[in-house]
Amino acid sequence: MFIQQLEPVADSLALSALVAALPLVTVLVLLGAVRTRAHIAGLTGLAVALAVATLAYGMPAWQALSGAAQGALFGLFPILWIVVNALWVYRMTVRTRHFDVLRRSFSRLSADPRIQALVIAFCFGALLEALAGFGAPVAISAVMLVALGFAPVKAAVVALVANTAPVAFGAMGTPVVTLAQVTGVPLDDVASVVGRQTPLLALVVPLLLVFLVDGKRGLRETWLPALACGSAFAAVQFAASNYVSAQLADIGAALLGAAALVAVPAARRPATAAVRAAVLTGARSQDLDTRDTRRETARAYAPYALIVATFSLAQIPPVKGLLDAATRTFDWPFLDVADPSGEPVGGNLFALPLLATGGSLVLLAGILTAAVLGVRAGAAAREWAATVYELRRALLTVTSVLALAYVMNLSGQAATIGHFVAAAGAGLAFLSPVLGWFGVAVSGSDTSANALFGALQVSAARQSGLPPVLLAAANSSGGVLGKMISPQNLTIACAAVGLAGREGDLLRKVLPWSLGLLLVMCLIVTGQSTAALGWMLP
């Protein structure tokens, strides 16, 4: 049995924390300063984590490698299993041109470009985030806005700022699932607290978007539809994450948010010529004038309805029991680790949810989608393979980052850093979202930031007397605000709208909003750690 040590370097917590931080520093420097590719940074950080685990912490090499293998497997299944199948569904809608039908349907919901920005960037972007994530919402939303006549820079800024509130529950809940796994905090608990933080952003972001689109006039004339949209989104995200399913939180919020938006009479009024002239400074796509049949429109919406139906059925107790019965739990080979008190750690066991996982449910919905859209089995299989190929670097990045996180957690590196960081005391609650924000700003992924810093946050919380679930959730909730300034997302946005090389211009436009919203989240978490807002926690 390997017993973790908190102060393996010269019996000093400070020196031990400095050495333990080397893998994280390596990844962040390679990504942020050297600008290497994410998968190279992840693999290099993993190598450093293995070296620190074996040389500084005395972890047997075979146990360190076994822990890395467990992290990589978790990265593949269930995490990337969700992403691949969700993106596969989207690719089939593009292949059959039903995505174009959906885009035209959105353009007809309102003739006001400010409302169109909310429908596409906030609501549909949230739906894309729920299904795929990893940059897809920004790229697709920005392209759709340009097709409606938005200037490329404005379209990119709106898409980036909108991609905030839904991120923590994106890719069928992948970030919170990862957070629960690496921290040992139950998924329902983590999702519940995140669902009491990010909905507060949803109340603000739609108002911010109409301001970005049309300044004070946009806020003055469309605040009511924007507030209705944000309120409905926030209410559904809170209810779903706390009482239904974290995987369904963004899907339900996006759909109900869009419904609430178009239900407000002010949202259906056409904008004045002055508004259109000020907002729509680009060329409008001519295919928006194509009229689609009701049957084709219904088929365009079918994939998302099938996913909602599949996940809803999976929550019915008898069905849920059948799915859970297929889960296999076993002792992970070559791994026998105890915490500093001598108690075995949870990583010694590994649970493999073959059916009771988001990826398997999305796969079933995808098979049904192929039938509804008329995609033959061979073509659907080729699209699935093409999706895997498209995500090949993301596959390597996520598996390497999760392998790194598992090595740090199992060797005791995360616990050492947590004990050291706990010296911040009460200030830790304020700083906790900043750590998540920084992780996402550098890595471009709330999932990766949760894998890197989740266990550290929980360890620091336990040492400082704060609720572990609060700081774990704060890591994810603060992280969503770093997404708009991450180099990966900025590059994706620029490439989507034809602004290659102008990432710096976009960064200057979105950075103030990222920092402002981060400050709001820091104050929320600080309040929730005290009696002032402690009543908000479950």
Side-chain angles (χ1 to χ4, degrees):
M1 177 179 285
F2 166 69
I3 300 178
Q4 297 172 348
Q5 303 176 63
L6 292 177
E7 302 175 356
V9 181
D11 293 325
S12 167
L13 183 62
L15 288 176
S16 298
L18 186 64
V19 173
L22 287 176
L24 297 177
V25 172
T26 299
V27 173
L28 298 179
V29 168
L30 288 177
L31 282 174
V34 184
R35 293 179 181 267
T36 58
R37 293 186 181 275
H39 65 282
I40 299 297
L43 290 170
T44 306
L46 172 59
V48 174
L50 289 169
V52 171
T54 54
L55 299 178
Y57 279 76
M59 189 178 196
W62 67 86
Q63 294 216 44
L65 289 171
S66 179
Q70 184 181 149
L73 177 58
F74 180 73
L76 290 172
F77 191 96
I79 299 303
L80 287 165
W81 180 237
I82 299 171
V83 177
V84 167
N85 289 321
L87 197 55
W88 172 56
V89 173
Y90 162 71
R91 286 179 63 98
M92 285 193 291
T93 67
V94 173
R95 178 188 179 92
T96 59
R97 298 189 179 278
H98 284 92
F99 179 74
D100 294 332
V101 176
L102 195 67
R103 177 166 57 90
R104 289 191 287 269
S105 174
F106 287 162
S107 72
R108 288 191 287 271
L109 289 176
S110 173
D112 189 328
R114 299 165 297 189
I115 302 302
Q116 290 174 345
L118 291 178
V119 172
I120 292 172
F122 187 72
C123 298
F124 187 58
L127 189 60
L128 291 172
E129 182 67 39
L131 299 178
F134 291 89
V138 170
I140 295 167
S141 297
V143 168
M144 292 176 74
L145 290 175
V146 169
L148 290 173
F150 281 71
V153 171
K154 184 171 288 187
V157 169
V158 168
L160 285 166
V161 174
N163 191 220
T164 48
V167 168
F169 296 104
M172 310 309 295
T174 297
V176 290
V177 170
T178 303
L179 186 61
Q181 180 70 20
V182 301
T183 60
V185 179
L187 173 59
D188 289 344
D189 294 350
V190 170
S192 178
V193 177
V194 173
R196 295 161 192 251
Q197 295 171 344
T198 57
L200 299 176
L201 293 176
L203 292 172
V204 177
V205 171
L207 296 169
L208 176 56
L209 292 178
V210 296
F211 176 79
L212 289 171
V213 170
D214 194 30
K216 294 180 180 178
R217 177 179 57 188
L219 191 59
R220 183 176 63 252
E221 295 180 358
T222 59
W223 69 268
L224 183 57
L227 186 60
C229 175
S231 299
F233 188 102
V236 175
Q237 192 181 62
F238 161 75
S241 60
N242 276 267
Y243 306 113
V244 183
S245 166
Q247 287 87 349
L248 285 176
D250 279 349
I251 294 177
L255 296 175
L256 269 294
L261 174 63
V262 298
V264 178
R268 299 193 297 275
R269 288 198 296 263
T272 63
V275 170
R276 297 186 65 82
V279 175
L280 303 179
T281 55
R284 182 177 180 274
S285 177
Q286 295 302 310
D287 79 324
L288 292 175
D289 297 323
T290 302
R291 307 301 296 182
D292 301 297
T293 65
R294 289 184 178 179
R295 180 172 181 270
E296 287 304 299
T297 302
R299 292 175 73 189
Y301 283 91
Y304 311 104
L306 287 170
I307 290 176
V308 172
T310 302
F311 273 84
S312 299
L313 288 172
Q315 302 308 311
I316 298 173
V319 178
K320 194 176 188 313
L322 287 174
L323 297 176
D324 289 339
T327 299
R328 297 290 178 264
T329 302
F330 52 90
D331 291 322
W332 187 259
F334 309 111
L335 199 62
D336 189 10
V337 179
D339 63 24
S341 65
E343 293 294 321
V345 300
N348 295 330
L349 297 174
F350 189 78
L352 197 63
L354 299 176
L355 297 179
T357 182
S360 298
L361 297 175
V362 176
L363 177 64
L364 174 59
I367 293 171
L368 297 174
T369 294
V372 170
L373 299 185
V375 181
R376 295 182 180 275
R382 286 190 294 272
E383 284 295 337
W384 194 90
T387 302
V388 174
Y389 181 77
E390 180 184 333
L391 291 173
R392 62 193 183 282
R393 286 178 179 158
L395 292 169
L396 195 53
T397 300
V398 172
T399 52
S400 62
V401 167
L402 278 160
L404 178 157
Y406 269 59
V407 171
M408 290 190 66
N409 295 343
L410 290 168
S411 64
Q413 295 173 58
T416 296
I417 299 173
H419 277 71
F420 182 74
V421 172
L428 185 60
F430 184 86
L431 296 175
S432 183
V434 178
L435 191 59
W437 174 85
F438 183 68
V440 176
V442 173
S443 70
S445 166
D446 201 35
T447 299
S448 296
N450 286 344
L452 288 172
F453 298 130
L456 186 157
Q457 297 263 26
V458 167
S459 180
R462 286 174 177 151
Q463 294 306 308
S464 62
L466 292 169
V469 68
L470 174 62
L471 296 201
N475 192 83
S476 192
S477 299
V480 306
L481 301 169
K483 189 108 173 177
M484 68 177 83
I485 64 167
S486 70
Q488 293 90 322
N489 254 21
L490 291 170
T491 301
I492 287 170
C494 284
V497 299
L499 296 175
R502 294 185 58 184
E503 288 85 356
D505 294 341
L506 286 186
L507 177 61
R508 284 189 290 275
K509 289 182 178 295
V510 300
L511 181 59
W513 303 112
S514 177
L515 292 174
L517 292 172
L518 174 63
L519 176 60
V520 172
M521 184 54 65
C522 289
L523 293 174
I524 290 171
V525 174
T526 301
Q528 290 178 336
S529 69
T530 67
L533 295 179
W535 54 267
M536 294 179 63
L537 299 181

